[in-house]
Amino acid sequence: GKVYVVCPVNRYTNMPANVELIESDKLCIKKGRIKTRISSLKVMLISSSIARKIKPDYIFVASFDTIVFAIGRLFFQQQNHLYLLHHMNVDELSKKIKRFLFKTYMQRVNHMVFEDFIKAHLVEEIGIDESKVYILPHQLSQNLKTTFETKNNMYTCVGLSTSNDEYFISQVIEKEIQEEIFKNSNCKVILKSKISEYDNGYLKVIKGYLNREMYNQYINNCVSVCLPFPSSYQYRMSGFLVDGLSNNKIALGSNIPIIQHYSKKYPSICKI
């Protein structure tokens, strides 16, 4: 089929022959709660204008703001052609205002989620018509490229998600300072944090931006990946989990739905 991708300038390269990029500097999402929503509305206005010219059979929405979409959907002539890909949107429905606004359009559009337990929640708890929710398995990301030498057992475990529970990380640091468990066991562990930094040669907690090259290097050179996510992480998928599993790493995670789900389906490679 013919595919049009509406996106910021220089976001994608080397597209197949059947894919046409429609690029604009006006399609970037700005940071900040208010700026993000205003720019999101602007993106929807531009996208709907393009859709009226192209008249596509389907419109795939790669991400959306739960609140803003209640207004922005009105820009589109046919809302039943819209397919919304959910990320953290389902977790946001625990908030009354967001759930109220979501319910104003949830039956008028189609929904795509990464796992069947997320679909079950949308259908059974939120009340969306089952025929409007589709499961799209998360794509694999095997053989993450890196210029560094690959040594599969360089690190015992790495946890590089931005969703890591900060309290858990602080407890791990405190435990290592007091008892040096990783040092005495000769285990090298890398964890990512938004606020903490630590390094005793065995436990390393890094803060801030981690470029793709280093991210790939850590995953390629570890035995297992760690997902110490908070209990608020309920009905969403983890790209970091996919990166780990699709590159043959054992996954260790908190007792949250996605880890419960995978530990039942694949008990030998995913553990709570």
Side-chain angles (χ1 to χ4, degrees):
K2 178 66 177 178
V3 178
Y4 297 90
V5 179
V6 180
C7 59
V9 176
N10 298 324
R11 176 64 60 85
Y12 303 109
T13 57
N14 302 320
M15 303 302 285
N18 67 316
V19 177
E20 180 179 332
L21 298 180
I22 300 177
E23 300 176 302
S24 173
D25 287 326
K26 298 178 181 179
L27 293 170
C28 292
I29 300 295
K30 297 180 180 180
K31 293 184 178 180
R33 183 176 295 182
I34 296 176
K35 288 183 178 179
T36 294
R37 287 180 173 148
I38 291 174
S39 57
S40 178
L41 200 60
K42 188 176 181 180
V43 167
M44 295 179 71
L45 183 60
I46 295 171
S47 300
S48 62
S49 176
I50 294 170
R52 280 193 290 274
K53 296 175 183 176
I54 297 174
K55 294 182 171 53
D57 296 314
Y58 308 102
I59 299 176
F60 175 75
V61 183
S63 65
F64 69 103
D65 183 285
T66 307
I67 291 177
V68 171
F69 202 85
I71 301 171
R73 68 183 176 85
L74 301 174
F75 298 155
F76 294 88
Q77 290 179 318
Q78 291 182 298
Q79 294 172 35
N80 62 332
H81 288 180
L82 292 166
Y83 288 75
L84 312 185
L85 182 60
H86 289 255
H87 298 281
M88 63 182 295
N89 305 85
V90 183
D91 279 354
E92 291 180 335
L93 300 181
S94 61
K95 299 176 181 178
K96 290 182 179 180
I97 293 177
K98 290 187 177 182
R99 182 182 287 215
F100 171 78
L101 291 172
F102 179 73
K103 287 197 171 188
T104 64
Y105 60 85
M106 68 181 191
Q107 305 290 18
R108 298 175 182 273
V109 299
N110 301 284
H111 308 268
M112 304 186 83
V113 297
F114 290 120
E115 292 292 343
D116 50 11
F117 77 92
I118 304 176
K119 174 178 178 175
H121 177 74
L122 286 177
V123 172
E124 296 168 11
E125 301 297 326
I126 306 300
I128 301 177
D129 188 321
E130 185 175 3
S131 66
K132 290 186 172 292
V133 185
Y134 299 83
I135 300 170
L136 175 69
H138 199 294
Q139 69 272 26
L140 297 179
S141 47
Q142 294 173 297
N143 303 317
L144 300 178
K145 294 181 180 179
T146 176
T147 57
F148 291 94
E149 181 182 1
T150 297
K151 298 177 181 179
N152 289 329
N153 59 353
M154 185 184 297
Y155 306 109
T156 305
C157 189
V158 300
L160 307 178
S161 174
T162 56
S163 298
N164 290 345
D165 185 347
E166 295 296 341
Y167 177 73
F168 173 89
I169 292 176
S170 68
Q171 293 294 296
V172 171
I173 293 173
E174 188 64 29
K175 192 84 168 175
E176 183 65 11
I177 291 173
Q178 293 176 354
E179 302 179 28
E180 296 187 327
I181 294 174
F182 294 135
K183 184 177 181 179
N184 293 333
S185 302
N186 196 31
C187 292
K188 291 193 174 183
V189 176
I190 312 288
L191 295 175
K192 194 171 188 304
S193 168
K194 293 188 181 75
I195 58 177
S196 302
E197 287 183 297
Y198 179 80
D199 189 355
N200 70 342
Y202 293 88
L203 172 63
K204 182 177 182 179
V205 178
I206 54 179
K207 184 177 74 170
Y209 176 73
L210 183 65
N211 65 44
R212 176 56 63 173
E213 177 78 358
M214 285 303 300
Y215 177 90
N216 293 351
Q217 191 261 345
Y218 282 137
I219 292 183
N220 284 334
N221 294 318
C222 73
V223 176
S224 60
V225 295
C226 180
L227 298 94
F229 293 174
S231 58
S232 58
Y233 201 103
Q234 288 287 303
Y235 298 100
R236 43 181 150 155
M237 186 53 177
S238 165
F240 180 64
L241 173 62
V242 174
D243 286 344
L245 293 180
S246 58
N247 285 278
N248 305 312
K249 311 301 178 182
I250 298 293
L252 313 171
S254 306
N255 191 14
I256 55 174
I258 186 62
I259 303 299
Q260 295 167 0
H261 181 69
Y262 270 67
S263 64
K264 288 179 182 178
K265 291 179 72 173
Y266 314 108
S268 63
I269 60 173
C270 187
K271 302 176 185 298
I272 297 174

